[in-house]
Amino acid sequence: MKAVCHFPSNSKLISSLISLSMLCACVPTTPHWDQQFGDVVRQAQSQQIINPQAGGDAPVNGIDGSVARESIGRYRSSFREPPPAPAPLTVGTGR
């Protein structure tokens, strides 16, 4: 007995390839991506926190009130009285 191989015609082959590719387009490809959405942002935020218990009831260690008041006063006055602009010919000369 002789074995006969039947190959599909070109139109059947093309239509089956098109239908297979259309079927693959319906498969969701992002469930893994959706599960991890935002993880990098949350990781970056957590790495930027120096002290998670900051703002608690512990006393503040730092400068005293009078020094803080003076530094804030100098900071605010720097916006009222900006430093003088240098002369245009001396820019970049090191003077």
Side-chain angles (χ1 to χ4, degrees):
M1 213 172 180
K2 189 175 182 184
V4 177
C5 292
H6 293 283
F7 291 104
S9 67
N10 284 341
S11 64
K12 286 183 181 180
L13 180 64
I14 291 172
S15 65
S16 63
L17 287 175
I18 290 174
S19 63
L20 182 63
S21 65
M22 290 175 66
L23 182 63
C24 290
C26 296
V27 175
T29 59
T30 64
H32 180 66
W33 298 334
D34 291 341
Q35 289 173 354
Q36 296 178 352
F37 186 77
D39 286 350
V40 174
V41 173
R42 285 187 288 276
Q43 180 183 8
Q45 285 177 340
S46 66
Q47 288 175 347
Q48 292 175 9
I49 296 174
I50 294 173
N51 183 4
Q53 281 77 32
D57 294 333
V60 177
N61 296 328
I63 58 176
D64 62 345
S66 61
V67 175
R69 183 176 42 244
E70 290 299 319
S71 65
I72 292 293
R74 274 186 262 120
Y75 172 75
R76 289 182 179 159
S77 68
S78 70
F79 292 106
R80 281 185 245 129
E81 304 162 6
L89 296 178
T90 61
V91 175
T93 59
R95 292 185 184 185

